[in-house]
Amino acid sequence: MDAIKRHYDEGAPECWEKEHISMYATMHPHENFAETFAHYLHICDTVHTAPAVVAKLDFVHKLRVRVGEPVEGTLWQ
């Protein structure tokens, strides 16, 4: 509880970016680990999801070309 009170009373220390992933992570070493691990999981989710998004965009592009819609200004020129 003291770490929480200190954090909300005093805020994050100067130059917190050098050793912590977020201002909230400066509260306690456990919070720093939790914030770091949460970011790691977000990165893993993004890497896992990216191929599906690219495949969907590729499908939409091929469908537009097949229908004859203009595709100028897209990534697939």
Side-chain angles (χ1 to χ4, degrees), residues 47-59:
V47 168
H48 181 73
T49 303
V53 171
V54 171
K56 177 78 171 186
L57 292 175
D58 188 48
F59 171 77

Side-chain angles (χ1 to χ4, degrees), residues 25-77:
T26 65
M27 185 185 313
H28 191 275
H30 293 149
E31 292 299 342
N32 194 32
F33 172 79
E35 290 279 299
T36 302
F37 192 68
H39 281 276
Y40 168 76
L41 292 177
H42 289 307
I43 291 167
C44 290
D45 283 346
T46 301
V47 168
H48 181 73
T49 303
V53 171
V54 171
K56 177 78 171 186
L57 292 175
D58 188 48
F59 171 77
V60 170
H61 169 72
K62 288 176 182 174
L63 184 62
R64 289 179 69 192
V65 169
R66 195 173 302 144
V67 172
E69 294 180 14
V71 290
E72 291 82 26
T74 65
L75 296 174
W76 298 277
Q77 287 183 342

Side-chain angles (χ1 to χ4, degrees), residues 1-13:
M1 287 302 270
D2 291 336
I4 295 171
K5 182 168 175 23
R6 180 191 47 76
H7 175 75
Y8 286 113
D9 289 346
E10 300 172 18

